[in-house]
Amino acid sequence: TIKEQVINRIFLYPIKLIDRLNLMVHNNNLTIVTLSKISGDMIRKTYNIKPRIIHPGISLKGYAKYSGYNNRYNQVITVGAINKYKNQLFVLESISQIPIENRPKVIIVGNGGDAQYVADLRKYARIKLIKIDIRIGISKSTLIKLYKSSYALMYSPVNEPYGLVVLEGMRAGLPIIASKGYEEIINSSNGYILRQDAKLWASAYMKLYKNRELWEKYSQQNYTDSTNFSDLKYSQKITSIIDRLI
């Protein structure tokens, strides 16, 4: 909210001022690493320094071999803490725009959640005739099974520049429908980056649902690309930077 943004700027200003003074003193020997282009642009704007962008990775263990079209159900999965900032309600709003005869089930997975927000999700789904399955605190193996039985990942957090959920969905061979902020890994070859317009998101899902060739293209591309975002490659890049500094 605007109120939250104003409060954050007021309280963070002294910290930013100290950071800028530190940068002026140590700029020549400083290496800053950040996780995405968006956060990199914020650092450049705030501190007038160019950071090194290294995308975090995920463990590829446990995903086993590629799971294709015939192993999927008409269901959408969305993953993350269940609250207004992860914005699962918008996913339900998008699904409500799909004709009921094609409407997918929605799997909502979180490691915790706001009780009132969860209740609001259930109420909305009941009113809009959406089948939902809310899972909290499940194991990684169960999560992977849910990924690999779903048809698409919908991910709509508020102001999140980069998240591992999208990488997990890619490794599970899921086409991705996500909010802006993931352009570095999602494009027209493997999914959709859309503004938060429920009708647009519903239309994107229906394109995948009705076009098996398109679904397989995105699915296979994501499964292949996910190897570029492994935790091993991430640690190697970080280690390389540390080695040059010591």
Side-chain angles (χ1 to χ4, degrees), residues 29-31 240-246:
N29 299 314
L30 191 65
T31 297
S240 175
I241 290 176
I242 295 173
D243 287 344
R244 288 200 299 271
L245 293 176
I246 59 178

Side-chain angles (χ1 to χ4, degrees), residues 130-195:
I130 301 170
K131 294 180 181 179
I132 63 169
D133 181 2
I134 297 178
R135 307 282 192 98
I136 296 177
I138 63 175
S139 66
K140 180 181 178 181
S141 60
T142 300
L143 173 59
I144 290 173
K145 288 178 181 178
L146 290 172
Y147 275 138
K148 296 182 73 173
S149 63
S150 297
Y151 201 75
L153 170 69
M154 283 189 169
Y155 196 55
S156 57
V158 178
N159 294 328
E160 184 176 286
Y162 189 91
L164 300 183
V165 168
V166 170
L167 301 182
E168 291 173 351
M170 290 171 64
R171 187 58 184 171
L174 284 168
I176 310 296
I177 304 173
S179 302
K180 291 185 177 181
Y182 294 88
E183 291 84 351
E184 293 165 84
I185 50 178
I186 303 298
N187 53 52
S188 59
S189 71
N190 59 355
Y192 299 91
I193 298 293
L194 302 171
R195 69 176 187 273

Side-chain angles (χ1 to χ4, degrees), residues 1-24:
T1 65
I2 294 177
K3 180 181 177 181
E4 290 171 331
Q5 292 178 26
V6 171
I7 291 173
N8 284 338
R9 287 180 180 177
I10 291 173
F11 283 103
L12 290 176
Y13 179 76
I15 297 174
K16 289 183 176 180
L17 183 59
I18 293 171
D19 285 344
R20 285 179 177 176
L21 291 173
N22 284 333
L23 286 173
M24 289 173 63

Side-chain angles (χ1 to χ4, degrees), residues 5-101:
Q5 292 178 26
V6 171
I7 291 173
N8 284 338
R9 287 180 180 177
I10 291 173
F11 283 103
L12 290 176
Y13 179 76
I15 297 174
K16 289 183 176 180
L17 183 59
I18 293 171
D19 285 344
R20 285 179 177 176
L21 291 173
N22 284 333
L23 286 173
M24 289 173 63
V25 175
H26 301 292
N27 195 27
N28 290 335
N29 299 314
L30 191 65
T31 297
I32 292 182
V33 176
T34 188
L35 56 79
S36 72
K37 183 178 183 299
I38 290 178
S39 58
D41 290 342
M42 293 172 64
I43 291 170
R44 275 191 291 269
K45 182 178 179 181
T46 304
Y47 303 112
N48 192 32
I49 190 170
K50 184 178 180 180
R52 172 85 180 272
I53 297 172
I54 300 181
H55 299 119
I58 61 167
S59 171
L60 304 183
K61 295 178 180 178
Y63 287 87
K65 63 181 181 180
Y66 173 75
S67 179
Y69 180 89
N70 292 330
N71 298 316
R72 309 286 177 153
Y73 300 99
N74 184 22
Q75 67 185 33
V76 165
I77 187 168
T78 186
V79 179
I82 305 174
N83 57 47
K84 65 179 182 179
Y85 301 107
K86 294 298 184 180
N87 204 18
Q88 290 90 350
L89 181 58
F90 174 75
V91 172
L92 295 184
E93 290 170 350
S94 301
I95 297 304
S96 73
Q97 300 295 315
I98 296 174
I100 196 163
E101 64 270 18

